[in-house]
Structures are given as C-alpha cells and as structure tokens.
C-alpha cells in the first residue's frame, strides 16, 4: 500500500510540475526562449495568496484570482521590459537576461518578505478520502491538484485548437515571420502566451505551497527548473508532452526519494534530464526539426 | 628592440596590472596599512578572478552558456582536499603538497569537464545551459550525501551515514556527508593565489591568440561556416570546455586550501555561485579576458568596502545583468549608440578640415 501512496504523491507533485511546464513549453514554442524567471513568478504568486489569505483575510477563491491577475500582469511586464527589446538578439543574451530577471524577482521578494520561511496554510478545505480500510489515505490536496491539472490541460488544448488566438499561437510558433505576413499580431500573441503561462504559474504556486507548506523567496527556483526538465522530457513545445513529462518526473522524484535516497532525489531527477537529452534530445513527444543553412 | 604586436602588448598590460596590484597589496601589508578584513578577502579575490577568466573562455570565446561552473570548482576543491588531508603527514612540505593537490584537483575537474562535455556539447544554447546547471546540482547533491573514510584497509565509501562505513578503529573519516571535510591544511596564501591568476591568464590568453583559439572563435561566430571549412567542432568545443573546467578546478583547490572546513552548500558551490561568476563575466565584457578579471576583483572588493549595500547587492547584480544585456543588444540602444558615435566622428572630421 505504501507504494500506491508514494505513487499518488508522485502524481500529485507531477501535476504541479505539469502545470508549470505548460508555461515553459508554450513560451519556448512561441518565443524560442527559455524563460528562467518562470519559477520565480510561481513564488510571487504564492506570496500574493499568502498575504491575501493570512494578512488581509480575503476568501480563498478571491485571493487565487488576485494572485493569477498579479502574475499575469507581472508576466506581461517582464516580457515587455526585458525580453521584447532582445527579440532578435543572440540566444546567449536572452538567456542571461532571463537569469537576471529570475534573480531580480528572488531578491525583490527577499527584501519585501525577508528570508524566513513562511508557513503557508493550505487553501484546500477538502477532507481526505480513506480507501482500503484506512490503509490508503488520499489527501484533499492531491485530488484537487490532479483535477486542476487535468482541467487546465483540457481547457488549454481546446483553446489552442478552437479559438482564433490559439491558431495565432500555433502559427507564430511554426514561423513567426510568415505569421506576421498573414496579418497576425506577433507581439500581441507572444504577450498573450506570457500572460497565460504566468496565470498558470500562479495556480501552480498555490497548489505547490498547499502540498508543501513552506514559502521562501527561493521556493520557485527548484520546481521551476524541474518543470523545465519535465518540459524537455516530454518534448518541448508539446502540451501533452508537458503533461506526460511532468507526471513521470513527479513519480520518479517521489519514488527515488522513498526507495533510493532522499538526499539524492534532485540528483536523480537531473540525471534523468541528461539521459533524455543524450538519448532523445527532442523528448518523448517532440518533433525533430532540421536546421537550415 | 623588435616592435611588439598589438596582442602581445595587450597581454603584457594584463600581466602588468596583476603584478602591480600584487606589489601594491604586498606593500600595504608589509607597512601594516591593511585591515584584517581586507587581508581575509585577498585569496577569495584571486579565486573569483580565476573563475571569471575561466568562465569567459566558455561564455565569451566558445559562445556557450555554462551554469555549472561552480560544479567544476566543487570537484577540484573536494578532490584536492581529500588528497591533502590524506597526505598531511606523509608530505610535510606545504608547497609540495599544494602543488600535488593542485595537479590532482585540476586533473579531476578537467576529467569531469570531458565526461560532462561528451553528452553536453552535442546540445546547443538553452539545453546546454540547463544541462550544465543540472550537472552542478548533481555534483553538489552527491558530495552532500557521500561519506568517505580511510583506515588500514584502504578507503571506505557509503551513501548512508558514518557508521555504515564499517571502519577499523584506526580509521579516519574524510568526508562526513553534508558536514564536508574538516581540517584541510591551509596551504594557500595570497602569493600562490596571484601566481595561479597569472598562470590562468597566460593559459587563456595564449589559447585565444593561437590557431586553436581562432578555430574556437570561428565556431562561436558561425558554426556551419566553421564546419564547412573543415574545423572539427566537437574537438575544439571539448578542448575549450575542459580547459575552462580544469581552471575552475584550480580555483576550487585554492578555495579548499584557504578554509579549514569545506562543505558543499548552495552558497559556495551552487547555482548562485555560478550566476555570480556569470555576472563578473558579463559586466567585465563577454570575451574580454582582462575585463572579467577586473570585474571579479572590483565586484568582490566593492561589497566588502560598502557594507551598507550588502542587502541590495544581489538585487543590483540582477539589474546589472538585465540592463547590460539590453544596452548591448536591443535595436534601440544599438541605434542610439551608433548615432552618438557617428556624431563624434563627424565632429572630428570637421576639426581636421579646419
């Protein structure tokens, strides 16, 4: 039974990774850049919920909406100020800027909220479900996280498949220049992608901190990087890939922690990344793109 | 006297700066004008200078972003500290011990560079950055989990705890998991640090100005063009990457022998350290060897001198990274710069006409 409960924990953590990975994979698909600051947007979103619930006593749904709104604005502002001027610059420059933004967010949070760990109270009020005569205990957080992940995934795929803005996203990720010639507002589409990704990051932050209730300015960094690993694992640019990659990575991490070594869990996750990139650099569901001269 | 070429002159200026700075510090120390605080950061300054110059080889000359530079430093530090601790009694002369430890640290870091380079250098850009980051974290994680002991039967290794090493009674624990290595002989000093900085500079500057260096830079500027004129991309990339890794290892050796306790925390060997070195490189000018050395020295000394800024230091670093990149690369800023310099040019021409 303990194996099943580890597995469920893994799927729960994996669902959070999957939601974060969506933000990475969409931005990477469209802007062809690795948004290092994505993990720190998660952290900012969690702090907003923390302040809203614990300090001002706002109801939970309102504070989650508030957090999503703050993160959306933050994401769009970051894109506009830091990334847009570098749209045609070298990849190295964009990457260094993204690292700078990530560092900036961490240190702003450090100055405002301090380095001490905040105890995040869970926003999920659902009672745990007991199965198999109380041997298997499924927490409310697990159920809500997995459900949220599935709902978000389905909505997002429907949005991209059926809405006009979704078609524009597909077109820009395929060929930005050609999309512009067809009359698509490329800058607007990229901004929309950042907005959606950041709003998802806020949701992911709340779910993550509800399951692992400690919040510091560095909370977002590691899950952010691991979610990127998940996105690469599933094939970057692919939405179902982010889902599968996220779940697999979460399960690998929790099982590794339980059966191999809790200290080496991160090392195991990162080794998975290196192995995936060496064996299949495009990930599980990624497309092979030929480079043209 | 034969006239010196421009590059020779430039590198001589770089060596001259180091020598002058060394003499200046020595004079200050001898005459007792240096505070103990400042004395304490002389060796770290050398460490950061070596790290910045070596990272510039990867970022500026090879054109690939490595976020795991602290990982190589970690390998060098621990390999050499294990050696020095085991040999503390067998080799009584500190200098000989240090040189041997240095060779071992550099070799181990270089070997790691080659091992990680084989899979990593097939990737490009963002993937390469994230894998080097992953590598740095793996190294840090592994070292924090490992227990190593030495007794009359040889080495014992365990990933669990000190008890499961099953050592004889005369055994001595060398690495104690997250507590790291304690009691490394402090064999390094400022003079050794400066000599290492000079050695690093000589190696990197010679490499950059050699045929090999030009091949590496051609890969950076246009990989496909370089390949089409017959440059072996993998070979030169690997060469630059492993040299950069081994120099970081040398910095690690210096680090390990400067402190009595060596632990692998996220502060000294983690992602933050890699970013800090990157800030030195970016601020000093990507590709400019002298620049990254000076930036490392200034940015290490500055926070110590301006203590009140300490809280905001990291914030300032972040802003510096973003602003430098935007000013260097954004079309608006480039246009502005060109207009400004053209105006200056015209101004000059007018003067000449008159």
């Amino acid at each position: 039974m303990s194996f099943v409960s580890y597995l469920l924990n893994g799927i729960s953590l994996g669902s959070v990774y999957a939601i974060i990975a969506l933000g990475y994979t969409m931005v990477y698909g469209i802007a062809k850049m690795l948004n290092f600051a994505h993990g720190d947007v998660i952290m900012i979103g969690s702090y907003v919920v923390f302040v809203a619930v614990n300090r001002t006593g706002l109801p939970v749904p309102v504070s989650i909406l508030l957090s999503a709104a703050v993160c959306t604005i933050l994401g769009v502002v970051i894109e506009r100020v830091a990334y847009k001027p570098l749209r045609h610059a070298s990849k190295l420059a964009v990457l260094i800027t993204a690292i700078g933004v990530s560092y900036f967010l961490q240190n702003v949070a450090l100055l405002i909220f301090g380095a001490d760990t905040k105890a995040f109270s869970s926003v999920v009020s659902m009672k745990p479900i007991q199965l198999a005569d109380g041997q298997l205990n499924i927490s409310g957080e697990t159920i809500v996280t997995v459900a949220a992940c599935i709902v978000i995934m389905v909505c997002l795929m429907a949005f991209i498949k059926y809405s006009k803005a979704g078609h524009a996203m597909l077109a820009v990720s395929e060929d930005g220049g050609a999309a512009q010639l067809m009359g698509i507002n490329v800058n607007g589409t990229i901004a929309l992608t950042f907005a959606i990704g950041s709003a998802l990051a806020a949701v992911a932050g709340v779910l993550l901190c509800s399951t692992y209730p400690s919040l510091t300015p560095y909370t977002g960094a590691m899950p952010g990087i691991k979610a990127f690993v998940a996105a690469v694992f599933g094939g970057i640019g692919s939405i179902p890939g982010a889902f599968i990659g996220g779940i697999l990575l979460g399960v690998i991490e929790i099982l590794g922690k339980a059966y191999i070594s809790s200290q080496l869990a991160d090392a195991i996750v990162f080794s998975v990344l290196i192995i995936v990139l060496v064996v299949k650099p495009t990930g599980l569901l990624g497309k092979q793109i030929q480079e043209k001269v | 006297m034969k006239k010196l070429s421009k590059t020779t002159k430039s590198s001589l200026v770089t060596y001259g700066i180091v020598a002058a700075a060394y003499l200046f510090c020595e004079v200050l120390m001898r005459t007792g004008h240096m505070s103990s605080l400042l004395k304490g950061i002389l060796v770290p300054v050398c460490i950061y200078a070596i790290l910045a110059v070596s990272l510039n080889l990867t970022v500026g000359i090879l054109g690939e972003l490595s976020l795991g530079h602290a990982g190589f430093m970690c390998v060098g530090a621990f390999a050499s500290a294990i050696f020095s601790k085991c040999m503390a009694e067998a080799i009584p002369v500190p200098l000989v011990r240090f040189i041997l430890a240095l060779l071992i640290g550099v070799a181990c870091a270089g070997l790691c560079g080659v091992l990680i380079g084989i899979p990593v250098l097939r990737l490009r850009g963002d993937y390469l950055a994230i894998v080097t980051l992953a590598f740095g974290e793996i190294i840090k994680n592994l070292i924090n989990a490992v227990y190593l002991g030495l007794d009359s039967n040889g080495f014992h290794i365990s990933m669990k705890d000190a008890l499961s090493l099953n050592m004889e009674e005369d055994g001595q624990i060398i690495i104690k998991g997250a507590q790291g290595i304690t009691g490394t002989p402090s064999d390094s000093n400022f003079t050794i640090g400066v000599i290492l900085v000079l050695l690093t500079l000589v190696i990197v500057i010679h490499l950059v100005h050699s045929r090999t260096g030009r091949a590496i830079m051609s890969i950076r500027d246009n990989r496909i063009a370089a390949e089409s004129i017959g440059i072996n991309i993998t070979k030169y990339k690997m060469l630059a990457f492993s040299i950069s890794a081994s120099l970081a290892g040398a910095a690690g050796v210096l680090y390990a022998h400067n402190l009595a306790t060596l632990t692998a925390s996220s502060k000294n060997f983690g992602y933050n350290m890699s970013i800090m070195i990157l800030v030195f490189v970016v601020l000093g000018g990507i590709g400019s060897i002298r620049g990254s050395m000076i930036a490392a020295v200034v940015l290490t000394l500055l926070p110590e001198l301006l203590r009140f800024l300490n809280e905001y230091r990291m914030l300032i670093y972040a802003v510096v990274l973003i602003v430098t990149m935007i000013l260097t690369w954004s079309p608006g800023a480039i246009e502005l710069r060109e207009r400004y310099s053209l105006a200056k040019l015209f101004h000059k021409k007018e003067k000449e006409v008159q």
Side-chain angles (χ1 to χ4, degrees):
Chain A
M1 270 307 141
S2 65
F3 176 75
V4 178
S5 84
Y6 287 138
L7 200 62
L8 283 172
N9 282 341
I11 291 174
S12 162
L13 180 64
S15 302
V16 176
Y17 286 160
I19 300 173
I20 309 171
L22 276 177
Y24 268 116
T25 218
M26 285 168 63
V27 166
Y28 197 93
I30 286 178
K32 299 283 175 293
M33 65 162 290
L34 171 53
N35 182 12
F36 246 97
H38 195 63
D40 304 290
V41 175
I42 299 169
M43 174 269 298
I44 299 280
S46 311
Y47 268 112
V48 171
V49 173
F50 173 77
V51 171
V53 173
N54 291 28
R55 297 279 159 83
T56 54
L58 283 175
V60 170
V62 178
S63 40
I64 293 177
L65 280 180
L66 179 74
S67 158
V70 169
C71 285
T72 307
I73 294 167
L74 185 67
V76 174
V77 168
I78 290 172
E79 198 274 329
R80 181 73 193 76
V81 173
Y83 302 152
K84 199 175 163 221
L86 300 173
R87 196 68 42 86
H88 302 289
S90 80
K91 273 203 144 177
L92 189 66
V94 182
L95 202 53
I96 292 175
T97 313
I99 291 168
V101 172
S102 155
Y103 234 55
F104 179 78
L105 292 179
Q106 281 179 15
N107 285 291
V108 167
L110 194 65
L111 283 178
I112 298 176
F113 301 105
D116 53 323
T117 308
K118 303 268 189 293
F120 192 95
S121 51
S122 174
V123 296
V124 179
S125 51
M126 205 171 136
K127 290 233 168 63
I129 298 176
Q130 309 244 326
L131 285 179
D133 300 331
Q135 282 179 15
L136 188 61
N137 198 3
I138 308 175
S139 71
E141 282 85 2
T142 304
I143 297 165
V144 171
T145 308
V146 175
C149 177
I150 292 170
V151 169
I152 288 171
M153 202 65 60
V154 170
C155 290
L156 203 60
M157 282 172 85
F159 173 75
I160 287 180
K161 199 158 181 198
Y162 297 114
S163 77
K164 214 168 176 182
H167 291 167
M169 281 180 176
L170 282 181
V172 174
S173 78
E174 195 81 24
D175 188 331
Q180 195 155 26
L181 289 176
M182 296 298 121
I184 291 171
N185 179 354
V186 172
N187 281 332
T189 309
I190 293 179
L192 178 68
T193 312
F194 268 87
I196 295 176
S198 307
L200 292 182
V203 176
V206 174
L207 293 172
L208 183 73
C209 289
S210 293
T211 318
Y212 301 91
S214 64
L215 183 57
T216 70
Y218 308 108
T219 298
M222 222 3 122
I225 291 168
K226 283 186 190 157
F228 178 75
V229 175
V232 172
F233 197 3
I236 202 140
S238 146
I239 289 178
F243 180 70
I244 295 172
I247 300 281
L248 278 178
L249 202 73
V251 171
I252 290 173
E253 183 179 337
I254 296 288
L255 291 185
K257 223 176 228 173
Y259 292 109
I260 301 175
S261 158
S262 61
Q263 266 177 322
L264 289 180
D266 288 354
I268 294 166
V269 169
F270 288 128
S271 311
V272 168
L273 171 77
I274 295 180
I275 293 166
V276 168
L277 282 178
V278 169
V279 178
K280 200 168 184 303
T282 48
L284 295 174
L285 302 180
K287 279 183 288 186
Q288 184 82 43
I289 300 165
Q290 280 297 321
E291 193 183 2
K292 292 182 200 126
V293 179
Chain B
M1 204 176 105
K2 218 173 87 184
K3 223 179 165 200
L4 294 167
S5 73
K6 211 174 158 192
T7 47
T8 326
K9 228 184 242 170
S10 154
S11 41
L12 281 180
V13 169
T14 312
Y15 305 143
I17 292 174
V18 178
Y22 172 68
L23 285 179
F24 181 66
C25 289
E26 277 293 308
V27 167
L28 275 188
M29 246 191 298
R30 293 281 156 80
T31 50
H33 281 84
M34 194 175 272
S35 68
S36 58
L37 181 84
L38 214 53
K39 262 185 210 161
I41 60 167
L42 284 178
V43 178
V45 163
C46 296
I47 295 170
Y48 291 131
I50 296 172
L51 284 170
V53 170
S54 65
L55 184 65
N56 208 342
L57 186 59
T58 311
V59 176
I61 311 299
L62 181 62
E64 297 284 7
L65 184 56
S66 162
L67 295 177
H69 215 57
F72 295 120
M73 181 189 170
C74 187
V75 170
F78 273 86
S80 64
I82 292 171
F83 172 81
S84 288
K85 193 163 178 192
C86 295
M87 294 293 162
E89 278 141 30
I91 309 173
V93 189
L95 190 64
V96 176
R97 196 167 55 206
F98 183 79
I99 291 173
L100 286 174
L102 181 69
L103 290 178
I104 284 172
V106 166
C108 285
L111 191 69
C112 266
V114 172
L115 283 180
I116 197 75
I118 293 168
V120 161
L121 290 176
R122 289 170 47 192
L123 310 164
R124 241 165 282 148
D126 302 341
Y127 283 133
L128 191 134
I130 206 90
V131 170
T132 49
L133 191 160
F135 161 75
E137 293 298 315
I138 291 174
I139 289 283
K140 201 187 76 195
N141 254 312
L142 274 180
I143 285 185
N144 270 326
V146 87
Y147 288 82
L148 182 72
L150 176 68
D151 64 9
S152 45
N153 293 335
F155 284 108
H156 293 256
I157 194 161
S158 159
M159 300 301 264
K160 258 205 209 123
D161 50 45
L163 279 178
S164 52
L165 287 173
N166 292 324
M167 284 195 298
E168 307 276 321
E169 274 179 20
D170 62 335
Q172 175 195 22
I173 298 175
I174 297 175
I175 305 183
K176 221 176 184 180
Q179 287 166 28
I181 302 182
T182 42
T184 326
S186 352
D187 292 342
S188 71
N189 56 39
F190 183 47
T191 312
I192 292 181
V194 170
I195 291 171
L196 283 182
V197 171
L198 274 176
L199 270 178
T200 309
L201 284 172
V202 169
I203 292 171
V204 174
I205 289 175
H206 268 262
L207 180 72
V208 170
H209 291 148
S210 68
R211 191 186 170 86
T212 316
R214 286 190 293 274
I216 294 169
M217 282 187 277
S218 75
I219 297 172
R220 170 194 70 185
D221 293 338
N222 192 330
R223 195 182 58 87
I224 295 167
E227 203 167 17
S228 70
I229 56 166
I231 287 172
N232 185 344
I233 300 225
T234 317
K235 180 183 137 192
Y236 284 110
K237 268 189 161 181
M238 187 70 98
L239 191 75
F241 194 69
S242 48
I243 289 177
S244 168
S246 29
L247 290 176
V253 176
L254 202 55
Y255 183 88
H257 292 81
N258 186 41
L259 300 169
T261 334
L262 183 65
T263 54
S265 72
S266 52
K267 233 181 205 163
N268 54 6
F269 294 131
Y271 170 61
N272 281 1
M273 182 65 161
S274 298
I275 299 288
M276 206 164 81
I277 309 165
L278 183 67
V279 174
F280 298 156
V281 172
V282 170
L283 198 67
I286 293 177
S288 157
I289 305 297
R290 192 194 302 163
S292 37
M293 182 188 74
I294 293 173
V297 173
V298 171
L299 286 185
T300 319
L301 287 176
L302 212 57
E304 299 293 334
L305 299 177
L306 307 169
R307 277 267 160 200
F308 62 94
L309 270 181
N310 225 355
E311 226 172 292
Y312 298 94
R313 184 175 65 168
M314 288 302 169
L315 193 68
I316 294 169
Y317 278 3
V319 174
V320 160
L321 271 184
I322 302 170
V323 170
T324 317
M325 280 301 126
I326 291 180
L327 285 186
T328 326
W329 288 97
S330 91
I334 291 173
E335 198 184 311
L336 205 73
R337 213 165 47 209
E338 272 172 3
R339 197 182 298 158
Y340 182 66
S341 63
L342 268 185
K344 271 204 295 195
L345 259 173
F346 278 126
H347 199 68
K348 240 184 207 169
K349 268 186 189 164
E350 273 169 20
K351 266 188 183 168
E352 276 168 19
V353 169
Q354 280 167 2

